[in-house]
Amino acid sequence: MSKGDAKAPSQRQLRVGEELRHALAWILERGDIRDPGLGGIAVTVTEVRVSPDLRNATAFVIPLGGGNAEDVVVALNRAAPFLRRKIGKAVKLKYLPGFNFIPD
């Protein structure tokens, strides 16, 4: 195996990532976040990738209608602890991953 080859994600990683994506999209849709950087901006969660140990999650997001993706990502990373708590109430996992947001 060469240096550039990455191991494909397991079924569990894919399943947990999809469940986290649904929960995150639902929370963002409700608009519970009171961050000035996210005021009135609809955000689409395209994918959530989970690390093999399920301790870290990377969420790929894009503001609906284009917008300034960098500002939205900065605001989401600021709100990550709040979002993690909200997701913890919606998804039952032994360990809830930490979230990192990246523009898609």
Side-chain angles (χ1 to χ4, degrees):
M1 188 157 43
S2 71
K3 187 177 181 182
D5 291 340
K7 188 177 174 188
S10 68
Q11 283 298 318
R12 179 162 172 76
Q13 281 175 271
L14 294 172
R15 191 174 64 239
V16 168
E18 191 62 17
E19 191 164 343
L20 292 172
R21 185 182 74 80
H22 282 286
L24 186 58
W26 181 75
I27 290 165
L28 291 173
E29 181 183 317
R30 288 187 55 206
D32 289 345
I33 304 171
R34 292 188 182 96
D35 190 294
L38 295 172
I41 297 174
V43 179
T44 302
V45 183
T46 56
E47 182 183 1
V48 175
R49 291 185 190 159
V50 184
S51 65
D53 63 358
L54 305 177
R55 298 287 181 130
N56 298 300
T58 302
F60 294 87
V61 295
I62 189 162
L64 204 59
N68 191 349
E70 291 300 323
D71 291 343
V72 169
V73 167
V74 168
L76 284 170
N77 279 317
R78 244 191 337 254
F82 171 79
L83 289 168
R84 185 173 186 256
R85 280 191 307 277
K86 286 284 198 181
I87 290 170
K89 294 175 183 175
V91 178
K92 299 299 178 214
L93 290 172
K94 188 173 183 178
Y95 299 107
L96 196 62
F99 283 88
N100 184 29
F101 294 91
I102 295 179
D104 194 15

